[in-house]
Amino acid sequence: MEREAPDKHFYAEMRDLNLEFLALLAQCRHRPPGAPLFGLDAAVLEPLGRLGAAQLEAMAATPCLLAGFRTAPPRGLARVAEPRQGEEADCCPDARVFAASLLTYAWQMARRDPLRAALCAGAPGNEPATGLRLRDIPGYASRAFLYLEARFCRHARFWPDLVRAARDGQPQRMELARLAAIQLAMAEASPPRRPAGHALQASSAAMR
């Protein structure tokens, strides 16, 4: 019997999580002027908040998660009791719920398919789900929102281009924005290359 590919359900789950995150961004965009939200600034959040349901659906169909966690070991979550003053205070309840769902999903995906998880959810070791056991999840999930952020938010063009593509409604531009997400995810999942000089030094040392 031919085995059914998991992509349909896999990408549907990611699309649903992406849509929840985009709704959270739109809901929480009213902050003190200039204050970032999950790593995104007003130049992204304001136009995103004006998008319609179909436009948000187009963004959510990006073939990787649009939300992630700042790099931090799991034990770091346990040491943090409260968010810093002014951080996403107006939407903490929903942020807590979403972050707990995202953490659980990332944990399940990493156990189920590590390679796919690395490409779609982030490199192994870069998220609080790494190394957790099932019984650890509830305790960490209650604090995971402190590390929640928009994925690729440190890339200058990704989010502005994605929002602009959704706003303009041009399929070709949206496809390019999605391809950019795949490229960034692959770069994120790949181990960093050592400089050629470092390799030559290591080779010379080994020959001595």
Side-chain angles (χ1 to χ4, degrees), residues 2-194:
E2 186 176 351
R3 187 177 179 182
E4 183 181 356
D7 298 74
K8 179 179 178 181
H9 300 295
F10 182 83
Y11 287 112
E13 291 171 348
M14 284 201 303
R15 185 185 63 240
D16 290 345
L17 279 169
N18 284 343
L19 198 56
E20 286 185 42
F21 182 61
L22 293 172
L24 186 64
L25 290 173
Q27 172 189 338
C28 302
R29 72 183 190 279
H30 300 296
R31 311 154 330 289
L37 178 67
F38 304 126
L40 300 177
D41 59 25
V44 170
L45 295 168
E46 293 305 324
L48 188 151
R50 294 192 293 269
L51 297 180
Q55 294 168 315
L56 293 176
E57 287 274 2
M59 291 180 65
T62 301
C64 61
L65 288 174
L66 293 176
F69 296 101
R70 293 194 294 273
T71 302
R75 67 187 63 182
L77 288 176
R79 290 199 299 266
V80 181
E82 296 296 334
R84 288 187 293 274
Q85 185 69 27
E87 277 198 352
E88 291 79 48
D90 56 345
C91 59
C92 274
D94 289 338
R96 287 176 186 271
V97 172
F98 175 79
S101 299
L102 182 63
L103 178 67
T104 303
Y105 179 74
W107 178 81
Q108 291 174 336
M109 193 185 343
R111 289 171 59 88
R112 199 167 57 201
D113 191 336
L115 178 59
R116 197 181 291 248
L119 288 173
C120 296
N126 284 357
E127 67 284 328
T130 300
L132 294 186
R133 294 168 294 181
L134 180 61
R135 67 184 182 185
D136 298 325
I137 293 291
Y140 290 122
S142 66
R143 302 177 182 89
F145 82 101
L146 298 172
Y147 289 85
L148 184 63
E149 72 173 6
R151 202 161 169 221
F152 314 130
C153 63
R154 295 175 186 82
H155 189 274
R157 295 306 321 158
F158 173 72
W159 278 93
D161 289 348
L162 184 63
V163 171
R164 189 177 300 111
R167 182 194 61 197
D168 295 347
Q170 297 181 9
Q172 186 176 11
R173 179 172 289 182
M174 178 56 70
E175 189 64 23
L176 288 174
R178 290 173 180 158
L179 287 173
I182 296 173
Q183 293 172 344
L184 291 172
M186 291 180 65
E188 189 180 72
S190 301
R193 294 183 178 180
R194 293 184 176 181

